[in-house]
Amino acid sequence: IIDLFSECCSSSNKNVRLSYSTLVLNYAVLLIESKDEDGQQQVLSAAMEMGDAQEEDTDVRFRALVAIGSL
């Protein structure tokens, strides 16, 4: 699912990017409990892509950083 929606990370629509970052955060929490290392790496990669300094929206970056911290 993360791969299917990865295009949302570069959307010009703030709400699309915010929704994607929420999806990544939710998967991060889910994968902590299931201890799926491959899934965690995939989510971590997506979160790091969103959490970089080029993301202007602080809400998107915050959710990405929380996902990274959770993993």
Side-chain angles (χ1 to χ4, degrees):
I1 293 177
I2 296 289
D3 286 340
L4 291 173
F5 289 103
S6 63
E7 301 275 326
C8 295
C9 186
S10 59
S11 174
S12 61
N13 186 326
K14 172 188 171 183
N15 292 326
V16 171
R17 293 191 320 272
L18 186 60
S19 297
Y20 180 66
S21 66
T22 302
L23 175 73
V24 170
L25 176 57
N26 288 341
Y27 267 108
V29 172
L30 174 71
L31 292 171
I32 290 168
E33 297 171 1
S34 68
K35 298 185 183 355
D36 177 8
E37 290 185 17
D38 291 333
Q40 288 177 356
Q41 289 177 347
Q42 185 178 16
V43 170
L44 183 61
S45 175
M48 290 182 68
E49 185 178 348
M50 287 183 308
D52 72 6
Q54 298 194 354
E55 175 57 56
E56 296 173 5
D57 185 8
T58 56
D59 290 331
V60 171
R61 198 173 340 166
F62 176 77
R63 283 181 170 89
L65 293 174
V66 170
I68 291 169
S70 297
L71 291 172

